Amino acid sequence: SAVISQKPSRDICQRGTSLTIQCQVDSQVTMMFWYRQQPGQSLTLIATANQGSEATYESGFVIDKFPISRPNLTFSTLTVSNMSPEDSSIYLCSVGGGRGNTEAFFGQGTRLTVV
Amino acid sequence: KNEVEQSPQNLTAQEGEFITINCSYSVGISALHWLQQHPGGGIVSLFMLSSGKKKHGRLIATINIQEKHSSLHITASHPRDSAVYICAVDQGAQKLVFGQGTRLTINP
C-alpha cells in the first residue's frame, strides 16, 4: 500500500495568481498522476510525472499552465498558474492503478476556489 | 458515449437498505477499481478486481468480464456510507479511465 500526503487541502486564491500543490508518498514510486475534478464531474488526468524526465501531459493540458516537478521518487508538485475562476476544482495526486496489477492510491485532494 | 458508464447517478436510500451501484464499460480491461470519495475530496480505494467477486465487510464487488459489467453492493447501509462511488477501469496502460460517479445518500 501507499500513503500520500497532499497539501494544501483547500485554498481560495485571487485570479492571476499561482498555487503549488505538493504530494509526498511514503514509498518510492516510478509514476505519479495528477488529476483535476471539476465540480460535478469525474476525474480528468492532467499529466503523468516521472522522476528524472519531463511530465507527460494529456490533451488539453500544457506545461505553461500546469508545470510539474518530480525531484525524487517520493515527491511531486503541481502548480496551477495564472489562475482564473475556471480553474476552481479539486486537484488530486495518485499512484498505482495501472498495468492491471496495482491498487490505486490517492492524496486527500486540494479543493481550489479562484475568485 | 463514455467508455465507463455508471448507474444510477444519484441514489438516496434509508439506513439499513441494500444498495447496488452498477458500472458498464465498453473497452477491454485488465482490472476494474471501485473508489469512494468523501465530501472533502479525498479518494479511497475499495476494490480492485479482474474476475469474480470480492467482499470487505459490508461491501461486495462483482465483475462479469464477458458482459463488461461490475456491481458494487452495500449491505445494511449506514449514513456514514454516504459518499460518491467511482468505477474506474484499467486497460493495461498506465492510466485509469473513470466513470462519472454515483452520489449515494443514506438517510437515518
Side-chain angles (χ1 to χ4, degrees), chain A residues 34-107:
Chain A
W34 286 99
Y35 292 95
R36 180 177 73 182
Q37 186 181 31
Q38 295 177 300
Q41 303 296 312
S42 189
L43 282 73
T44 300
L45 182 64
I46 297 171
T48 303
N50 300 298
Q51 196 270 331
S53 65
E54 292 278 340
T56 303
Y57 289 83
E58 298 297 304
S59 176
F61 298 96
V62 295
I63 188 171
D64 290 345
K65 176 67 176 176
F66 297 102
I68 287 172
S69 79
R70 184 78 202 277
N72 57 53
L73 291 173
T74 63
F75 186 80
S76 180
T77 68
L78 170 77
T79 299
V80 186
S81 303
N82 188 25
M83 289 184 285
S84 67
E86 292 69 35
D87 294 319
S88 298
S89 297
I90 297 173
Y91 293 85
L92 294 121
C93 60
S94 174
V95 302
R99 305 194 185 277
N101 62 359
T102 60
E103 192 174 351
F105 299 95
F106 292 83

